[in-house]
Amino acid sequence: MKKSSLITSLVLASLVFMGCSKKVSEPTTVEIWHTYNGSQQEYLVNAAEQFNNSQSKYVVKVLAQDYSGFADTVYNAVANGIGPSIIFNYGSTAVDYANEGLAVDISKFIAEDVKKGDTSMQDFINSLPKAMLDEVNGFADGGMYYLPGATTGPVYFYNKTLFDELGLNPPTNWEELESVCKTIYEKKGIPGFHSDGLVDNIQTLILQNGMGYIDVANKKVLFGGEKLEKIYQWYADCCDKGYFLFNTIGKYASEDLATGAIASFSGSCVNDQYITMLNGAELGMAPWISSANGIDFYTGWNRGPIFLKRADDVDRGAYEFTKFFLSPKMNAGWAKANSALSPYGLTTKESEYQEYINNLPATSALPCVQANLSVSGSFPNVTGSAQIRNILVEYLNNVVDKKMTAKDAVAKMVEDCNKALNE
């Protein structure tokens, strides 16, 4: 009897131990790979710690990577099932992963939340401006593989001292831009303008001239023909006359403006941190051209989490962290850490965000971005969309260099763009 009781006790103890072991299983690890530094890295690490302390099911690890070769490193790792669950980039970067089945469609998790009565993530996403919401939902298969985290955009930077001397105002349309640059070239002998981030301006001109961009269903571009030929020829003529500078003289447009080699440029709002005007000149900033021909369009740059496939439990953990990270209060802090804006309507109502926006330094370019945010647009995230950006610039370059006529360049460009969409 004693032997039987002992065996029974051991069996029961074993079962209890097994049950306890099941309950205290290790949390699921979610990895974020990034190339941030400074305030962005600090905020991201802190957010992961807060999330980890708020629950016990997941552990988020934030791993810094070398900037050089980062894209290839991530892609190869994900393809081999050992990569991160989240990286931060633009929606266009998610296309290749989605096409190869390496990205996670988080709409399924959102649907599960809604079914359980939790609409927080759905409500937050729905507070995006329509154009940005279209971008989030703009993948060819209708999936949601990316979300914006913070928004920046182009701003018009100019030599205010020179403009005041000549009685000029920052241009509000393309005709004014040419007129301003003509005056500057004739009076001062320097180019009036350089487009730093030329492709964004070409896209803006395309949209503001009512051409459309990509027919996703039929995999072809909607731009081309005489309208685009006129745009290319106009830009090439402005370069030929000396009004516009096509390539920078120094390493950066900000450097050329600071030294007085050019009078203005359109470029990322982050340039406000890098321009130190020389020879006593004052830096001016203004909203970039956002309307033409009665059509409003401004290119906003939205960088945020891309969801990469690992295993079902890991994928869910990445979503749960993102839901935490993109909650209004946390998103407000992320915008501040990036010296950027939040595109989410729910975030903009947060007191922390309002305090941040209302106390921007006088040297900040963000108010110029904010002035255009309501008409910010986006482009479909489909196969070939990234190649199209390069093709647009390549053929404008050929026209500027007089290697091709505008008509021939546009015709060949459309052909190459359609080919890229069908690869």
Side-chain angles (χ1 to χ4, degrees), residues 156-171 176-177 179-181 183-184 188 190-193 257 262-265 281-282 284 286:
Y156 186 68
F157 295 95
Y158 65 102
N159 185 326
K160 188 176 185 302
T161 302
L162 177 61
F163 271 58
D164 289 348
E165 177 188 337
L166 299 177
L168 301 172
N169 295 313
E176 288 179 6
L177 176 65
S179 177
V180 162
C181 293
T183 298
I184 291 170
K188 296 295 181 178
I190 62 172
F193 173 73
L257 179 64
I262 58 174
S264 70
F265 74 92
E282 180 183 355

Side-chain angles (χ1 to χ4, degrees), residues 216-227:
V216 175
N218 295 303
K219 296 184 178 181
K220 65 178 183 179
V221 294
L222 297 170
F223 51 78
E226 188 175 341
K227 278 189 176 181

Side-chain angles (χ1 to χ4, degrees), residues 183 233 346 361:
T183 298
Q233 191 59 60
L346 290 179

Side-chain angles (χ1 to χ4, degrees), residues 5-260:
S5 297
L6 179 60
I7 292 172
T8 301
S9 298
L10 289 172
V11 170
L12 288 173
S14 176
L15 290 172
V16 170
F17 177 76
M18 288 173 65
C20 291
S21 296
K22 199 169 185 180
K23 288 180 182 177
V24 294
S25 59
E26 289 296 315
T28 299
T29 298
V30 176
E31 291 187 5
I32 298 173
W33 291 10
H34 72 94
T35 58
Y36 291 119
N37 52 43
S39 59
Q40 295 103 325
Q41 177 171 282
E42 181 181 348
Y43 192 85
L44 190 56
V45 169
N46 183 260
E49 290 177 356
Q50 290 185 52
F51 175 74
N52 293 341
N53 292 333
S54 72
Q55 47 74 55
S56 59
K57 194 171 182 179
Y58 307 103
V59 171
V60 173
K61 294 183 178 181
V62 178
L63 305 175
Q65 306 290 323
D66 289 336
Y67 181 82
S68 177
F70 179 71
D72 289 338
T73 299
V74 171
Y75 193 88
N76 291 332
V78 173
N80 285 285
I82 57 173
S85 292
I86 294 174
I87 60 171
F88 287 77
N89 216 311
Y90 301 101
S92 56
T93 303
V95 175
D96 291 339
Y97 291 99
N99 289 345
E100 297 297 325
L102 300 175
V104 179
D105 179 3
I106 65 165
S107 62
K108 62 183 179 183
F109 298 132
I110 296 172
E112 290 172 7
D113 281 356
V114 172
K115 191 174 181 179
K116 293 184 293 186
D118 178 5
T119 64
S120 59
M121 192 63 157
Q122 185 67 72
D123 293 341
F124 190 68
I125 294 171
N126 285 343
S127 74
L128 286 167
K130 183 182 182 304
M132 294 187 192
L133 190 57
D134 289 344
E135 179 188 31
V136 167
N137 294 312
F139 292 87
D141 64 356
M144 188 181 295
Y145 303 99
Y146 141 91
L147 288 172
T151 298
T152 56
V155 166
Y156 186 68
F157 295 95
Y158 65 102
N159 185 326
K160 188 176 185 302
T161 302
L162 177 61
F163 271 58
D164 289 348
E165 177 188 337
L166 299 177
L168 301 172
N169 295 313
T172 59
N173 57 53
W174 302 99
E175 291 78 13
E176 288 179 6
L177 176 65
E178 180 181 359
S179 177
V180 162
C181 293
K182 180 176 184 293
T183 298
I184 291 170
Y185 183 74
E186 291 176 348
K187 299 290 186 180
K188 296 295 181 178
I190 62 172
F193 173 73
H194 170 70
S195 182
D196 189 28
L198 179 58
V199 63
D200 299 293
N201 287 340
I202 300 173
Q203 290 174 319
T204 297
L205 281 161
I206 286 172
L207 270 292
Q208 290 180 357
N209 279 273
M211 279 181 271
Y213 196 67
I214 296 176
D215 180 344
V216 175
N218 295 303
K219 296 184 178 181
K220 65 178 183 179
V221 294
L222 297 170
F223 51 78
E226 188 175 341
K227 278 189 176 181
L228 193 52
E229 291 168 18
K230 287 182 178 179
I231 290 170
Y232 271 31
Q233 191 59 60
W234 168 75
Y235 202 97
D237 287 345
C238 285
C239 290
D240 189 49
K241 294 172 183 175
Y243 304 164
F244 294 177
L245 179 69
F246 193 78
N247 297 306
T248 57
I249 297 170
K251 192 172 182 180
Y252 303 108
S254 55
E255 176 187 328
D256 287 348
L257 179 64
T259 60

Side-chain angles (χ1 to χ4, degrees), residues 273-287:
Q273 303 171 48
Y274 304 109
I275 303 173
T276 302
M277 302 295 285
L278 303 178
N279 303 317
E282 180 183 355
L283 174 65
M285 294 177 285

